[in-house]
């Protein structure tokens, strides 16, 4: 390239950058985001064929600085239209792009020989598509976020085949699995195993038709031979639980005396379900080339194929950042914010980002540990020791094995066990250093079965609550006057209860048990135990406890917590934006986000909210709320939350090394079915939130106006505080407040009205991510 041509090209690019930046500033829309350009000094070494002075889409061929190669349509510094991108590791994408995102139909191939051809959405395999593994496995069907989800057919390389429904990468729903030896099963599946009602047919004509659990016959079922003979009864892997009757056919000469149900279990055990090939890296994990800007120093900028740019979205006067190192950066930032406010019609003196889109959102300051450790000398130290002694006794007490089908007597409120704990110990209790007390277990069989249903290991449960580490007391009691305690590992929360709440819970315990058993993904909080400590003496004080799961327990820092009811009266935090930290519970009028869930998650969420609310209405409860926790995946070094469209390399390095979940790790989590267990409805859910802005003049505006500014998050949520009955106290509260306020705005309302208002609000602040 001649020096004269090189100079003209540099001048043209400089003019185009200034012209387009000015245009963007004038219109206050997102600015230019370069992705594949290199520094001006490198232009002579970079292959960049095909330019368009008009700014329209054009054909480009680029060899990027790291060796990646792109050829195809290019617009506004993004792949846009048809194009091919080849990574140096041998991965390749050929198909449709939209503003730098793999969007539409395309083909992604791996160096191993595996390939996917079908629909893409925001970088994910999403829609209809066919995946051919390097080992020959072929799946054709529906996908959601890289996971098989919906109807699909998987032909395994060993000759097996599954044709049916998938959910989050595993067989779930109705489906047929045929083995190479012509045996096949048709019926219900759950989490990748045979579960529910279905029929197994052997190649010799024998059949089993009945119920299954964890891949084996369990419950009522019939085994039939081709000659018409059959065996019907109760099936179980435990020989002691097997019972049934053999009915020979008229054509059979004699009963098969050597046959037994154990033979069937051995035969089925030999029919293994193929796991399938595991993909090493997903398309959404691939990143486009790093580039360097001559005006931006040595900060690398990159973009992933799902369109998450690692550079700042250009606001008006963003070019001033080029001079922000001259010591006047604060003034320039203020100028930028003032111009944003002018264009948006927001007062300049508004310093609250809830009302001012010109102000960036910041991560709250982080508290080291929530709560005060209860050590010796604390006012509740002896009470904590009593609680730990009682839990250790209750959980460790020998008890016969029980099935999930409990008798009605197990739910009787009178079914309780009192145990005396003298200081010197007794035949059943150890000596201890606290004062003498009595311990009560309410409905012990029910709660033992609930812990089993929730897959809580008894030893782990005892270690969490009764281990060497002390409990932590939250700084202030809740509105109800109850105190809250956290275990050292944050896994469990212990709440003191009023007598009326205990009566309420015992009344609804049977319905609660049936609900959580019927709906595995219920969002209703999980309860593990109900106990009472009675302190002897003149006062005869009783302290009642309930043990529940901590919804927001996570390996990731929870940056924002919201308690949402759908009412507006008094539903705002007294602290201002600068006084809050990551443990502050924000309320309805503090909410400045819309929660965006992927289609499959959103549909399941809506369905589950409806089912849970039906249960709560049936039990005449109200005043419950949806507790939501957010972990923001990108935070800059100065503490600002980074929207999806403007990732910079100036990430918070501390955050990334400890609390930040990288896109690669998140995709790997979704990719591995074994690790998928940690991602479920309401827990560890990758999602996006859209920022909203409230109008200052509308003080009671529940849902703000959407801005199009998105943030990637990990979400946690669940329904809490379900034990408030609509009793005479709440009825009087409703009557009194209705005189002074709009009855529809207050929290204390009839359970049916409360449920409707709660659902209407939740379905406004949760939406499908389209």
């Amino acid at each position: 390239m001649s020096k004269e041509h090189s100079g003209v090209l540099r001048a043209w690019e400089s003019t185009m950058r200034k012209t387009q930046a000015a245009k963007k500033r004038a219109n206050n829309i997102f600015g230019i985001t370069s992705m594949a350009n290199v520094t001006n000094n490198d232009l002579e070494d970079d292959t960049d064929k095909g330019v368009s002075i008009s700014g329209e889409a054009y054909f480009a061929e680029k060899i990027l600085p790291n060796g990646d190669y792109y050829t195809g349509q290019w617009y506004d510094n993004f792949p846009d239209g048809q194009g091919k991108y080849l990574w140096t590791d041998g991965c390749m994408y050929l198909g449709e792009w939209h503003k730098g995102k793999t969007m539409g139909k395309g083909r992604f191939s791996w160096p191993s020989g595996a390939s996917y051809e079908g629909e893409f959405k925001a970088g994910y395999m999403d829609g209809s598509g066919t995946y051919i593994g390097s080992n020959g496995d072929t799946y054709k069907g529906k996908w959601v976020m890289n996971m098989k989800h919906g109807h699909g057919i998987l032909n395994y390389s060993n000759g097996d085949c599954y044709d049916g429904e998938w959910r989050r990468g595993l067989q779930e729903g109705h489906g047929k699995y045929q083995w190479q030896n012509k045996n096949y099963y048709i019926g219900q599946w759950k989490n990748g195993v045979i579960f529910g009602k279905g029929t197994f047919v052997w190649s010799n004509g024998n059949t089993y038709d009945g119920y299954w659990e964890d891949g084996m016959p369990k419950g009522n079922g019939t085994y039939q031979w081709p000659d018409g003979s059959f065996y019907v009864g109760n099936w179980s892997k435990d020989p002691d639980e097997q019972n049934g009757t053999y009915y020979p056919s008229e054509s059979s000469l004699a009963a098969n005396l050597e046959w037994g149900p154990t033979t069937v279990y051995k035969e089925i055990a030999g029919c293994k379900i193929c796991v399938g090939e595991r993909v090493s890296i997903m398309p959404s994990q691939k990143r486009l080339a790093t580039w360097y800007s001559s005006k931006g120093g040595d900060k690398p900028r990159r973009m992933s194929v799902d369109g998450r740019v690692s550079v700042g979205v250009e606001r008006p006067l963003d070019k001033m950042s080029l001079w922000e190192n001259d010591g006047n950066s604060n003034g320039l930032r203020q100028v930028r914010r003032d111009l944003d406010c002018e264009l948006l019609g927001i007062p300049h003196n508004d310093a609250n980002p809830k009302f001012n889109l010109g102000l960036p959102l910041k991560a709250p300051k982080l508290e080291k540990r929530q709560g005060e450790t209860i050590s010796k000398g604390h006012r509740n130290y002896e009470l904590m020791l009593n609680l730990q002694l009682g839990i250790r006794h209750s959980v460790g007490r020998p008890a016969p094995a029980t099935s999930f089908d409990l008798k009605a007597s197990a739910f009787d409120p009178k079914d309780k066990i009192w145990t005396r704990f003298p200081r010197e110990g007794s035949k059943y209790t150890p000596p201890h250093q606290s004062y003498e007390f009595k311990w009560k277990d309410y409905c012990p069989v029910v709660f033992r079965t609930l812990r089993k249903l929730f897959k809580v290991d008894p030893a782990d449960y005892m270690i969490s609550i009764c281990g060497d580490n002390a409990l932590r007391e939250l700084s202030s009691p809740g509105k109800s006057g109850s105190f809250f305690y956290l275990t050292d590992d944050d896994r469990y929360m212990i709440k003191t209860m009023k007598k009326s709440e205990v009566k309420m819970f015992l009344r609804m315990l049977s319905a609660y048990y049936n609900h959580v058993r019927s709906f595995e993904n219920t969002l209703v909080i999980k309860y593990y135990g109900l106990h009472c400590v009675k302190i002897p003496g003149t006062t005869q004080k009783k302290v009642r406890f309930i043990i529940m799961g901590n919804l927001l327990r996570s390996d990731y820092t929870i940056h924002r917590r919201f308690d949402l009811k759908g009412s507006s009266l008094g539903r705002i935090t007294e602290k201002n934006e600068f006084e809050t930290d990551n443990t502050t519970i924000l309320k309805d009028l503090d909410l400045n986000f819309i929660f965006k869930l992927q289609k499959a998650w959103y549909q399941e969420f809506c369905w589950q909210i409806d089912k849970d609310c039906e249960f709560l209405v049936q039990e005449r409860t109200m005043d419950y709320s949806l507790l939501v926790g957010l972990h923001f995946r990108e935070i800059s070094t100065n503490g600002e939350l980074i929207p999806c469209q403007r990732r910079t390399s100036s990430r918070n390095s501390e955050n990334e090394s400890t609390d930040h979940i990288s896109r690669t790790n998140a995709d790997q989590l979704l990719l591995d079915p074994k690790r998928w267990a940690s991602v479920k409805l309401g827990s560890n859910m990758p999602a996006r939130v859209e920022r909203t802005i409230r109008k200052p003049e509308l003080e009671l505006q529940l849902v703000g106006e959407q801005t199009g500014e998105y943030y990637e998050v990990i979400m946690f949520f669940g329904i809490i505080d379900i034990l408030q009955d609509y009793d005479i106290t709440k009825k009087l509260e409703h009557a009194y407040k209705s005189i002074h306020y709009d009855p529809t705005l207050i929290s204390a309302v009839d359970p049916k009205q409360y449920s409707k208002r709660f659902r209407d609000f939740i379905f406004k602040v949760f939406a499908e991510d389209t």
Side-chain angles (χ1 to χ4, degrees):
M1 180 183 297
S2 67
K3 291 183 179 180
E4 182 180 358
H5 180 70
S6 176
V8 172
L9 184 57
R10 290 195 190 101
W12 175 83
E13 287 201 335
S14 176
T15 302
M16 285 297 296
R17 281 195 294 268
K18 293 177 181 177
T19 303
Q20 293 191 17
K23 182 181 177 181
K24 301 297 184 183
R25 288 197 299 272
N27 291 285
N28 190 32
I29 59 175
F30 289 158
I32 300 169
T33 308
S34 297
M35 180 193 67
N37 292 2
V38 292
T39 65
N40 290 340
N41 297 330
D42 293 335
L43 278 172
E44 291 183 339
D45 300 324
D46 181 38
T47 301
D48 191 351
K49 301 178 181 177
V51 295
S52 172
I53 299 179
S54 66
E56 297 178 354
Y58 62 94
F59 178 83
E61 185 176 0
K62 297 176 180 288
I63 299 176
L64 304 175
N66 69 340
D68 290 356
Y69 171 80
Y70 175 80
T71 178
Q73 291 175 291
W74 191 267
Y75 174 71
D76 198 18
N77 289 303
F78 289 105
D80 198 296
Q82 290 288 335
K84 178 172 72 174
Y85 196 104
L86 179 63
W87 285 267
T88 53
D89 64 1
C91 291
M92 183 179 72
Y93 172 78
L94 174 63
E96 296 176 349
W97 300 77
H98 179 65
K99 295 183 179 180
K101 305 176 184 179
T102 54
M103 187 80 73
K105 294 184 178 180
R107 186 177 189 274
F108 191 96
S109 59
W110 288 261
S112 63
S115 66
Y116 168 83
E117 186 167 0
E119 295 175 320
F120 286 82
K121 181 180 178 182
Y124 290 100
M125 299 184 290
D126 199 303
S128 298
T130 301
Y131 174 82
I132 302 176
S134 59
N135 65 351
D137 288 355
T138 302
Y139 171 82
K140 184 176 182 180
K142 295 292 185 179
W143 300 76
V144 171
M145 290 182 68
N146 294 336
M147 307 294 292
K148 304 176 187 73
H149 194 98
H151 183 266
I153 302 173
L154 176 54
N155 290 293
Y156 296 93
S157 56
N158 67 348
D160 292 358
C161 175
Y162 174 80
D163 181 354
E165 296 300 313
W166 297 78
R167 189 178 182 81
R168 300 196 292 266
L170 297 171
Q171 297 97 328
E172 183 155 333
H174 189 271
K176 177 182 178 181
Y177 192 103
Q178 181 162 325
W179 285 266
Q180 185 184 21
N181 60 9
K182 303 304 180 184
N183 294 347
Y184 68 87
Y185 166 84
I186 184 167
Q188 295 298 311
W189 295 73
K190 185 177 181 180
N191 292 329
V193 297
I194 298 172
F195 199 108
K197 195 174 190 308
T199 303
F200 194 104
V201 180
W202 281 262
S203 57
N204 61 6
N206 295 350
T207 63
Y208 168 81
D209 182 35
Y211 289 90
W212 299 71
E213 187 175 297
D214 294 328
M216 289 293 175
K218 180 66 182 293
N220 293 327
T222 302
Y223 187 91
Q224 188 165 357
W225 286 265
D227 64 1
S229 303
F230 63 95
Y231 170 90
V232 61
N234 183 67
W235 294 70
S236 174
K237 288 191 290 185
D238 185 352
D240 295 335
E241 296 181 5
Q242 296 174 1
N243 61 78
T245 306
Y246 173 78
Y247 296 92
S249 65
E250 296 180 359
S251 60
S252 59
L253 299 177
N256 188 352
L257 300 178
E258 296 181 0
W259 183 89
T262 306
T263 306
V264 177
Y265 284 98
K266 290 180 180 178
E267 293 174 353
I268 293 176
C271 296
K272 303 290 185 182
I273 307 296
C274 283
V275 177
E277 183 183 59
R278 179 180 174 182
V279 183
S280 58
I281 187 169
M282 283 298 186
S284 54
Q285 294 173 274
K286 298 299 295 180
R287 293 187 177 273
L288 306 192
T290 301
W291 68 283
Y292 293 87
S293 169
S294 60
K295 294 185 179 181
D298 294 329
K299 294 182 179 179
R301 305 184 181 187
R302 63 170 54 189
M303 176 179 176
S304 69
V305 294
D306 62 359
R308 296 169 300 108
V309 187
S310 292
V311 298
V313 171
E314 189 173 346
R315 294 169 177 261
L317 300 182
D318 251 2
K319 293 298 181 183
M320 286 190 174
S321 63
L322 304 177
W323 297 280
E324 281 188 350
N325 292 326
D326 66 358
N328 193 30
S329 59
N330 291 333
L332 292 174
R333 288 194 187 99
Q334 188 59 48
V335 171
R336 181 190 309 163
R337 289 171 183 169
D338 286 348
L339 182 56
D340 277 347
C341 291
E342 260 182 30
L343 293 169
L344 291 168
I346 299 173
H348 287 220
N349 59 356
D350 191 348
N352 191 338
K354 193 163 61 175
F355 303 106
N356 189 344
L357 184 60
L359 296 177
L361 296 179
K362 290 206 169 189
K365 57 185 178 182
L366 301 181
E367 285 291 318
K368 288 184 179 179
R369 206 89 194 274
Q370 190 177 8
E372 175 189 0
T373 301
I374 304 177
S375 54
K376 196 166 186 177
H378 191 281
R379 64 186 179 281
N380 288 326
Y381 179 69
E382 283 77 17
L383 185 61
M384 180 193 73
L385 293 181
N386 297 346
L387 173 68
Q388 292 177 325
L389 285 166
I391 294 292
R392 190 180 290 114
H393 172 75
S394 299
V395 178
R397 183 171 54 232
T402 57
S403 69
F404 290 125
D405 297 319
L406 298 180
K407 296 179 180 178
S409 59
F411 299 95
D412 189 338
K414 297 178 182 178
D415 184 19
K416 48 196 173 187
I417 299 175
W418 278 104
T419 305
R420 179 171 163 267
F421 281 78
R423 294 192 65 177
E424 66 275 10
S426 67
K427 182 179 178 180
Y428 303 104
T429 63
H432 57 88
Q433 297 178 350
S434 182
Y435 46 75
E436 179 179 325
F437 67 95
K438 285 186 176 181
W439 174 262
K440 183 195 289 187
D441 280 323
Y442 294 92
C443 299
V445 174
V446 176
F447 286 103
R448 189 185 311 118
T449 310
L450 278 172
R451 293 193 293 270
K452 179 181 175 183
L453 183 67
F454 296 145
K455 297 179 174 58
V456 173
D457 182 78
D460 293 339
Y461 184 70
M462 279 198 291
I463 290 172
S464 290
I465 302 175
C466 315
D468 295 334
N469 296 317
L471 302 177
R472 286 174 285 132
E473 182 180 84
L474 298 191
S475 55
S476 61
K479 184 179 178 182
S480 63
S482 299
F483 284 86
F484 291 86
Y485 304 92
L486 283 172
T487 58
D488 185 68
D489 59 5
D490 290 332
R491 195 177 296 274
Y492 302 104
M493 184 174 283
I494 302 166
K495 176 188 175 184
T496 61
M497 298 183 72
K498 294 182 291 187
K499 186 176 181 179
S500 59
E501 291 178 311
V502 172
K503 287 185 175 180
M504 168 72 178
F505 188 37
L506 291 175
R507 177 181 65 76
M508 64 182 288
L509 183 58
S510 177
Y512 172 81
Y513 177 84
N514 292 329
H515 181 76
V516 297
R517 186 185 177 191
S518 301
F519 302 101
E520 183 182 5
N521 291 326
T522 178
L523 297 174
V524 173
I525 191 166
K526 292 179 171 62
Y527 292 117
Y528 301 106
L530 184 61
H531 313 281
C532 176
V533 170
K534 183 178 180 181
I535 303 170
T538 55
T539 60
Q540 293 285 306
K541 181 181 178 183
K542 289 182 180 180
V543 183
R544 299 168 183 87
F545 297 94
I546 193 165
I547 302 175
M548 51 193 172
N550 181 7
L551 289 174
L552 303 186
R553 194 261 179 183
S554 170
D555 293 333
Y556 311 117
T557 296
I558 303 298
H559 296 115
R560 286 290 187 212
R561 302 162 191 255
F562 295 96
D563 182 272
L564 306 175
K565 292 185 177 182
S567 59
S568 56
L569 188 63
R571 299 295 296 162
I572 191 168
T573 306
E574 295 178 357
K575 297 180 180 180
N576 63 41
E577 185 74 17
F578 305 102
E579 292 175 331
T580 60
D581 56 45
N582 68 309
T583 65
T584 303
I585 303 294
L586 303 173
K587 299 179 183 178
D588 301 65
L589 294 179
D590 301 304
L591 181 64
N592 56 342
F593 297 109
I594 299 291
F595 309 112
K596 299 280 190 171
L597 305 181
Q598 284 286 330
K599 181 178 181 180
W601 284 119
Y602 179 69
Q603 291 175 344
E604 184 172 343
F605 171 78
C606 293
W607 184 84
Q608 192 60 60
I609 283 286
D610 282 337
K611 293 298 180 184
D612 289 340
C613 285
E614 287 173 9
F615 158 69
L616 296 171
V617 169
Q618 173 190 319
E619 296 307 309
R620 299 283 298 166
T621 69
M622 41 77 66
D623 217 20
Y624 46 85
S625 56
L626 187 74
L627 183 64
V628 179
L630 300 178
H631 167 81
F632 289 91
R633 292 167 62 177
E634 293 291 344
I635 302 176
S636 67
T637 51
N638 64 355
E640 293 185 4
L641 304 182
I642 304 176
C644 304
Q645 300 96 329
R646 52 185 182 100
R647 302 276 173 99
T648 70
S649 60
S650 57
R651 292 176 180 167
N652 186 334
S653 58
E654 181 181 355
N655 182 58
E656 188 166 5
S657 62
T658 56
D659 304 322
H660 171 69
I661 176 171
S662 69
R663 184 55 177 260
T664 302
N665 291 339
D667 287 342
Q668 200 65 35
L669 186 68
L670 298 174
L671 170 65
D672 187 353
K674 293 181 179 178
R675 297 177 64 191
W676 181 262
S678 66
V679 180
K680 58 184 180 180
L681 187 67
S683 178
N684 282 304
M685 288 182 60
R688 294 199 305 166
V689 294
E690 181 180 1
R691 184 181 180 182
T692 60
I693 290 294
R694 296 176 182 274
K695 294 181 179 180
E697 64 272 17
L698 299 178
E699 294 181 1
L700 299 181
Q701 181 186 18
L702 273 175
V703 183
E705 297 178 1
Q706 296 171 246
T707 64
E709 187 172 291
Y710 292 88
Y711 299 84
E712 289 195 3
V713 296
I714 303 295
M715 286 193 70
F716 303 81
F717 51 81
I719 298 175
I720 61 171
D721 296 336
I722 67 169
L723 301 181
Q724 178 58 59
D725 189 13
Y726 191 56
D727 54 13
I728 186 64
T729 304
K730 286 295 179 181
K731 291 177 181 177
L732 290 173
E733 179 186 342
H734 174 79
Y736 173 76
K737 289 185 176 180
S738 296
I739 299 173
H740 302 279
Y741 308 103
D742 183 347
T744 62
L745 302 180
I746 61 180
S747 180
V749 294
D750 175 84
K752 286 186 178 179
Q753 184 182 345
Y754 189 95
S755 174
K756 182 181 184 304
R757 185 181 64 189
F758 175 78
R759 277 189 278 193
D760 289 345
F761 173 68
I762 293 302
F763 293 151
K764 286 179 182 177
V765 297
F766 278 78
E768 181 183 337
D769 191 354
T770 57

